[in-house]
Amino acid sequence: MKTHKEVVGALEILKNLIEDLKEAYTFTAVSIFVIIGLFMFFVEARSMAQKKLKAEGLLLRVLGVLYVIGSIVVYLIIS
């Protein structure tokens, strides 16, 4: 079982980590993640389809959507 001092220390580390994330995850970072997600969804997935790699194309479409939605949701949560 953890002591009170260990729990408080872990919470302080988590608090500092969240503050650092808020500073680093700016609108510019979100924009880059959204652009990468759109590129994966439209360009790379189509490229895989032309190469007859359907599973990879589907994976790229799913990951592209996750990049776009995930980066916006994280930005809204931490801002």
Side-chain angles (χ1 to χ4, degrees):
M1 183 165 210
K2 302 245 184 219
T3 65
H4 177 69
K5 191 181 279 188
E6 290 174 330
V7 172
V8 170
L11 289 175
E12 281 297 317
I13 292 172
L14 186 59
K15 182 179 175 184
N16 290 337
L17 182 65
I18 291 171
E19 289 300 319
D20 290 342
L21 182 63
K22 283 182 182 181
E23 290 178 20
Y25 204 69
T26 62
F27 183 74
T28 304
V30 173
S31 300
I32 291 170
F33 280 119
V34 168
I35 289 169
I36 291 170
L38 292 173
F39 182 80
M40 288 169 68
F41 187 84
F42 290 110
V43 178
E44 287 295 317
R46 184 174 297 148
S47 171
M48 293 296 125
Q50 290 172 349
K51 295 175 185 176
K52 307 274 193 258
L53 300 170
K54 293 182 181 182
E56 288 81 356
L58 177 63
L59 179 64
L60 282 167
R61 287 192 187 275
V62 170
L63 289 175
V65 169
L66 288 175
Y67 259 69
V68 172
I69 293 173
S71 60
I72 292 172
V73 168
V74 170
Y75 181 73
L76 291 175
I77 288 172
I78 66 170
S79 63

